[in-house]
Amino acid sequence: MIGISKRIAHGDQKAISLYRDLYRVPDDVLARFIDPLAIVRHFSDEYQRVMRSCGISIDWRRRFTTVDPQYSRFIEWQWKHLREGNHVLKGAHPVRYCPQCDNPVGDHDLLEGDKAEILRFTLVMFRWNDAIIPTATLRPETIYGVTNLWVNPDVTYVRILMDGAEWIVSREAAGKLSFQDHTVEITGEIPGKELIDQAVSHPLCGTVPILPARFVDPDMASGIVMSVPAHAPFDYIALRDLQTEGKYTGIEPVPLISVPGYGRLPACDAVERAGIVSQDDPRMENLTQEVYGAEFAHGRLFDRYGGSSVREARDSVASLMVDRYGSLPMYEFDTRSVVCRCGSRAVVKILHDQWFLQYSDPAWKEQVVALLERMDLVPPEVRAEFERTVDWLKDWACTRRVGLGTRLPWDTDWLIEPLSDSTVYMAYYTIAHHLKTMPTGMLTPEVFDFIFLGRETPGLPERERLDLMRREFLFWYPYNFRFSAKDLISNHLTFQLFHHVAIFPEPCLPRGMVVFGMGLLNGAKMSSSKGNVFLLEDAVEEFGADSVRMFLVGSAEPWQDFDWRNELVTSTRKQIDRFMDTVLEYQPGHERQEDLDRWLESRLHGRIARTTEALERFQTRQALQEAFFGVESDLRWYRKRLPPGSAGSPFLKDLFSAWVRLLAPFVPFTCEYLWKELGGEGLVSYAPWPVADSGAVDSQVELSEELLVRTVEDIESIVKIIQFSPSAITIYTAPSWKKKVFSMVAAAEDKTTVTREIMKDAEMRKRGKEVPDAVRQCTTLIHRLPPQIVAGLAREIPDELAIFSDAAGFLSREFSVPVSVSDAGESTHAKAAFALPFKPAIVIE
Ligand SMILES: [Zn+2]
């Protein structure tokens, strides 16, 4: 917020246009944005307004901001406990830092490079006359294979006095080193060209020349690199290019590492195998990673260089260089262009009196690992990412000099930074509405100790109110699930686990987390800096809140990315209109439709059960499939099956009541309206959720109806293929001996011996070859049918002759021709022999 308000105060046009044009902040409000608190107030009001317009049910009494004075008292309490647990330490650490804001910068403070990591390079000190030319490397062990240095001939380097010694580095490097505990004074310039062909030396590799290379980036570490062509693909190809021009032909790569899968010169193997001809080939980056990775994992230094693994040598050679040859560390980002929200480039700075949350502490990590093991994570695949984060997490710079927030209670020059003061506020929500009415002076650590930890202290004020708050906290805590987006796994979602285990007792520790996917807009990542955003408010305005909601929860499960496309939202809106028409147009009928009603009721209760189950697991898409599209298709079939002129039975009234309640969480505005139209009491949002009655589920009735559905589909597809218009349809149902075969095949665990089993029966033996044929056909059919249908058939094969005879009138109406039904066993028609249980033979004439 401070960064934004500074940019606006400085008249930064990009920032102003972002808020004025994209977020449509009125001019008079924007003018107040030079006060960061005005930004906080404006956007929290805006969010509340838009959330309400979406029909999202939120207890707004609990709304607060992290700059409320009561919240600051809570943070002071939290940090008192963190400090007592030895989780906050002071030390010197490299951090991402904005020189303009004079502050460490976290992920949320960055305009670009928000995932940037800090790398630790070793500066290798090459001597050139009286000066030092430091090359920066992540692989100090390869010093033994250095054949030359690379300098960019187009770059003007600078001479500096670095802590009193003369160095030559890029101008960018001089700036960076000055933030890393060094005094740096620029004393002159030297063009890269003048350094070419000079000789430099290092005790571990002897004297080598400086060669020109345009791939050397002056903005990367020291701006000068050492060349190890045997093991670095970039070095290899750059040297090869010079040598093809007939230059430096005397230089030979010097190998020092053996690695399985590669020959004497791994870099050469990799480049030649990939057929790379130019340094600019985009595959070079991957190739480099591939060689480095293989050597780090399986490489071993030659015996004459000590014979240890690359993994060990990397550290031992680095310490040797530091102890004996003057090497220093240099910190650098792994990503180019790391830019603060204020618009300035961030640097790596060594901070000394900085406070850190000691996430590197193995004992603390151990507690979080143990908690994670017990937690319910949705979707389960995120578990590995949480485990990786806990493992990898290093100490975190948790304070800053300027900004909004709470001051560190014991060192008030510092403010607690946002990712560190927003870790256990879920606990604060449970009592936020009470705290608002309490004077901040009363909110001592002892008061919070009582509310959150149940710890008694003599003389606590307002005991009754505190008891109420304690009960309310325990009502909500431990929380069952925390919901957040997947890009917060690497910080917030993991941090909050660290803080919970540090402060709360075992029975109050978190139980689960649900991790959300991200929103895409027309296939691309939404990004306010790139202008690729569609404001929720505009979406609601254009499509209506219900269409937006139904699209968001229905187009993907919450943990999958959703892709907003206007045309898809338009079709969602049409689906909602269709739902409304269906419910509104219904005029109650009076006749019960025995079997058909039983079927519809059975279907509905199955859908209620599956919708509820899906929602319990946060599968909103799955739930919507059942509750919306599932019920809709059942209704469509039901209407098709009604006798001509029938409006359906009174049961439809119950169905619509349940349907509207099932869909109320998805499309509340539509459902409130329909609920009223149906004569429902009060608001549908408060109406009881439909309860699945397992007694209403009748799998035999469902099976019979399913047989009809499938037969209608079969007839439709045959009618499509035949060249004539049908005049009659005959359905042949399977004879009883085939039902017996089907049941035995369905029940058989070993399908290979089932024929022999069946043939033990004398009646079957009489049928001869027909039986093995039927076994084969039934086996194929069983593989194709959904398992729940096979299970139903294994229990009881319905009386197909009766089903089709009852439905003959319906089928005749459907296909506008007479439909007759016979038992295939009593027919001599050649096609009747194909009849199988649940797959009658169909003859169209
Ligand atoms: Zn800044």
Side-chain angles (χ1 to χ4, degrees):
M1 294 305 155
I2 301 263
I4 298 166
S5 61
K6 262 194 193 159
R7 281 167 67 204
I8 289 170
H10 292 161
D12 179 334
Q13 282 311 308
K14 227 170 125 189
I16 292 174
S17 114
L18 181 70
Y19 289 96
R20 191 184 51 206
D21 305 332
L22 195 63
Y23 293 114
R24 291 197 299 269
V25 177
D27 279 333
D28 56 322
V29 179
L30 192 64
R32 289 201 295 273
F33 273 18
I34 50 174
D35 173 9
L37 276 176
I39 307 181
V40 175
R41 279 192 295 266
H42 174 75
F43 281 105
S44 49
D45 287 345
E46 277 296 286
Y47 289 148
Q48 178 166 350
R49 188 176 60 77
V50 176
M51 294 291 155
R52 276 181 192 275
S53 76
C54 288
I56 294 173
S57 187
I58 291 175
D59 182 354
W60 293 107
R61 292 174 307 156
R62 298 169 195 268
R63 174 182 145 177
F64 67 90
T65 72
T66 56
V67 294
D68 294 353
Q70 288 90 344
Y71 188 75
S72 282
R73 297 289 89 75
F74 168 72
I75 292 299
E76 285 163 7
W77 166 80
Q78 177 189 352
W79 283 70
K80 175 177 171 283
H81 282 283
L82 289 171
R83 192 170 193 217
E84 284 168 3
N86 283 322
H87 298 304
V88 198
L89 299 174
K90 203 173 205 177
H93 278 261
V95 297
R96 293 184 292 198
Y97 192 85
C98 173
Q100 172 73 29
C101 300
D102 195 16
N103 242 341
V105 281
D107 291 356
H108 292 308
D109 303 319
L110 292 171
L111 217 50
E112 279 177 48
D114 62 341
K115 288 279 175 260
E117 294 267 340
I118 294 172
L119 300 174
R120 186 183 202 268
F121 285 85
T122 300
L123 292 178
V124 184
M125 305 303 183
F126 286 88
R127 188 152 282 283
W128 179 56
N129 302 328
D130 289 335
I132 283 168
I133 297 187
T135 66
T137 183
L138 293 168
R139 307 186 67 196
E141 76 284 2
T142 60
I143 179 74
Y144 303 114
V146 172
T147 59
N148 60 283
L149 304 193
W150 298 116
V151 153
N152 192 325
D154 301 335
V155 167
T156 299
Y157 289 82
V158 292
R159 292 174 181 274
I160 59 171
L161 274 178
M162 161 84 174
D163 301 328
E166 193 183 352
W167 284 26
I168 293 168
V169 293
S170 67
R171 186 174 288 279
E172 291 86 340
K176 291 170 188 172
L177 287 167
S178 69
F179 287 98
Q180 298 184 14
D181 270 357
H182 302 291
T183 59
V184 176
E185 185 192 336
I186 296 179
T187 56
E189 292 186 337
I190 179 164
K193 274 194 206 72
E194 283 182 24
L195 291 167
I196 308 300
D197 293 334
Q198 297 295 310
V200 296
S201 64
H202 190 281
L204 294 177
C205 70
T207 300
V208 295
I210 300 180
L211 270 49
R214 297 210 153 76
F215 73 78
V216 176
D217 180 358
D219 197 12
M220 182 65 186
S222 68
I224 302 171
V225 295
M226 62 188 207
S227 167
V228 188
H231 298 284
F234 270 110
D235 296 342
Y236 171 79
I237 201 163
L239 181 62
R240 193 187 70 179
D241 285 359
L242 286 172
Q243 293 181 335
T244 344
E245 295 168 26
K247 296 175 191 160
Y248 308 105
T249 49
I251 297 179
E252 293 263 349
V254 178
L256 65 137
I257 294 164
S258 58
V259 58
Y262 292 90
R264 213 174 66 88
L265 301 175
C268 162
D269 283 1
V271 168
E272 304 299 341
R273 262 184 233 160
I276 287 175
V277 293
S278 151
Q279 306 180 23
D280 304 324
D281 194 305
R283 291 172 297 165
M284 284 297 288
E285 208 45 65
N286 279 341
L287 219 54
T288 300
Q289 289 311 317
E290 179 194 313
V291 173
Y292 285 14
E295 293 189 345
F296 185 69
H298 310 292
R300 201 156 266 289
L301 264 61
F302 291 174
D303 286 344
R304 64 175 167 286
Y305 303 121
S308 62
S309 70
V310 167
R311 207 182 280 266
E312 291 160 7
R314 186 154 302 170
D315 293 337
S316 64
V317 175
S319 340
L320 175 74
M321 284 179 167
V322 171
D323 295 347
R324 305 261 300 268
Y325 306 116
S327 277
L328 295 170
M330 178 174 180
Y331 298 96
E332 177 64 288
F333 295 123
D334 64 348
T335 317
R336 295 302 84 206
S337 198
V338 180
V339 180
C340 173
R341 268 193 193 279
C342 77
S344 310
R345 269 192 72 175
V347 296
V348 182
K349 181 176 164 77
I350 311 269
L351 278 190
H352 282 273
D353 48 357
Q354 170 64 293
W355 290 96
F356 291 86
L357 279 163
Q358 206 191 2
Y359 293 136
S360 66
D361 174 8
W364 201 7
K365 280 183 197 275
E366 202 41 61
Q367 283 179 282
V368 175
V369 169
L371 172 62
L372 260 177
E373 271 171 22
R374 307 192 292 272
M375 286 180 79
D376 187 358
L377 303 184
V378 180
E381 304 87 86
V382 295
R383 183 170 295 279
E385 206 182 330
F386 274 105
E387 288 168 352
R388 258 200 313 278
T389 302
V390 175
D391 182 45
W392 146 99
L393 211 55
K394 301 179 196 73
D395 293 349
W396 183 267
C398 59
T399 52
R400 53 182 188 173
R401 288 291 186 192
V402 288
L404 299 176
T406 303
R407 296 197 170 273
L408 199 62
W410 61 88
D411 187 354
T412 52
D413 289 345
W414 291 100
L415 286 144
I416 298 163
E417 64 86 33
L419 275 167
S420 302
D421 81 355
S422 306
T423 51
V424 294
Y425 59 86
M426 318 73 172
Y428 189 86
Y429 272 124
T430 66
I431 53 165
H433 50 307
H434 294 295
L435 293 176
K436 276 177 193 172
T437 62
M438 293 174 77
T440 52
M442 209 168 95
L443 301 177
T444 58
E446 290 73 27
V447 163
F448 286 118
D449 276 348
F450 175 76
I451 298 169
F452 296 122
L453 310 177
R455 205 174 280 170
E456 292 283 356
T457 311
L460 285 174
E462 294 215 41
R463 194 46 199 258
E464 256 175 53
R465 184 133 82 155
L466 295 193
D467 281 334
L468 177 67
M469 286 155 87
R470 168 84 182 145
R471 282 199 302 276
E472 199 146 348
F473 167 70
L474 289 176
F475 172 80
W476 294 103
Y477 253 60
Y479 71 71
N480 294 82
F481 287 97
R482 167 120 190 102
F483 298 76
S484 200
K486 66 181 170 196
D487 60 331
L488 297 186
I489 293 178
S490 63
N491 47 58
H492 170 74
L493 282 173
T494 302
F495 291 0
Q496 57 107 10
L497 299 179
F498 274 88
H499 289 235
H500 270 104
V501 297
I503 296 168
F504 291 92
E506 178 66 35
C508 287
L509 293 182
R511 298 251 177 99
M513 288 185 278
V514 181
V515 176
F516 289 162
M518 309 287 282
L520 302 178
L521 180 56
N522 297 315
K525 196 181 159 191
M526 286 203 208
S527 152
S528 56
S529 59
K530 296 198 175 73
N532 191 41
V533 287
F534 187 42
L535 301 187
L536 185 54
E537 183 178 13
D538 294 347
V540 169
E541 184 64 31
E542 190 171 337
F543 298 98
D546 281 352
S547 309
V548 171
R549 294 170 61 112
M550 182 160 144
F551 179 80
L552 290 179
V553 300
S555 66
E557 295 294 10
W559 46 89
Q560 297 166 331
D561 294 344
F562 70 84
D563 186 7
W564 183 278
R565 290 179 191 265
N566 283 354
E567 65 276 17
L568 295 181
V569 187
T570 305
S571 62
T572 301
R573 181 167 189 154
K574 286 187 188 138
Q575 287 156 355
I576 296 174
D577 289 345
R578 210 167 62 209
F579 161 61
M580 277 187 74
D581 291 345
T582 309
V583 176
L584 290 177
E585 281 166 11
Y586 162 72
Q587 296 297 326
H590 300 293
E591 329 122 57
R592 288 271 316 166
Q593 305 290 328
E594 297 314 324
D595 281 0
L596 196 53
D597 276 1
R598 269 225 312 285
W599 173 80
L600 190 58
E601 199 173 346
S602 173
R603 297 289 278 187
L604 176 66
H605 283 275
R607 303 241 184 243
I608 293 172
R610 288 190 297 274
T611 303
T612 310
E613 212 175 277
L615 285 179
E616 299 282 354
R617 295 307 303 161
F618 312 104
Q619 298 167 342
T620 54
R621 179 183 158 79
Q622 182 59 35
L624 194 69
Q625 291 296 324
E626 290 287 344
F628 190 96
F629 301 102
V631 176
E632 190 182 42
S633 89
D634 292 344
L635 257 179
R636 201 179 297 136
W637 177 256
Y638 178 87
R639 294 184 146 185
K640 214 176 187 175
R641 291 275 282 126
L642 282 177
S646 165
S649 88
F651 170 68
L652 282 176
K653 196 169 154 56
D654 300 341
L655 178 130
F656 285 133
S657 157
W659 199 18
V660 169
R661 281 178 288 149
L662 280 180
L663 289 176
F666 300 94
V667 288
F669 294 100
T670 307
C671 290
E672 290 298 354
Y673 172 71
L674 292 175
W675 185 247
K676 208 166 168 213
E677 291 294 305
L678 290 177
E681 253 177 64
L683 290 174
V684 71
S685 314
Y686 293 130
W689 182 251
V691 179
D693 173 5
S694 58
V697 176
D698 183 334
S699 52
Q700 286 312 111
V701 158
E702 287 203 34
L703 210 53
S704 310
E705 215 52 37
E706 180 71 25
L707 175 63
L708 269 184
V709 171
R710 286 169 175 263
T711 307
V712 166
E713 283 168 5
D714 282 353
I715 297 174
E716 278 169 351
S717 54
I718 299 171
V719 169
K720 248 181 234 159
I721 305 167
I722 55 173
Q723 304 289 324
F724 56 92
S725 50
S727 56
I729 298 174
T730 313
I731 294 171
Y732 294 101
T733 59
S736 59
W737 70 269
K738 279 195 185 171
K739 290 186 186 175
K740 200 164 170 189
V741 170
F742 186 97
S743 303
M744 290 184 78
V745 173
E749 288 188 10
D750 183 356
K751 304 268 192 265
T752 57
T753 58
V754 69
T755 311
R756 211 180 312 143
E757 279 302 307
I758 293 171
M759 285 306 230
K760 284 182 184 162
D761 183 319
E763 286 298 306
M764 289 288 184
R765 271 204 305 280
K766 274 190 221 156
R767 300 192 175 273
K769 202 178 132 325
E770 266 188 311
V771 175
D773 284 349
V775 169
R776 213 166 32 248
Q777 289 158 358
C778 287
T779 309
T780 312
L781 179 61
I782 283 167
H783 279 300
R784 281 188 193 150
L785 288 172
Q788 72 274 18
I789 290 186
V790 175
L793 292 172
R795 279 194 298 275
E796 189 190 342
I797 295 179
D799 182 351
E800 299 187 5
L801 200 60
I803 293 168
F804 286 116
S805 303
D806 285 352
F810 158 67
L811 292 170
S812 295
R813 285 197 304 280
E814 273 299 290
F815 296 101
S816 315
V817 292
V819 173
S820 52
V821 187
S822 350
D823 185 332
E826 322 214 315
S827 168
T828 51
H829 196 288
K831 282 198 177 154
F834 292 108
L836 290 174
F838 222 68
K839 186 90 184 155
I842 297 161
V843 174
I844 300 181
E845 286 154 310

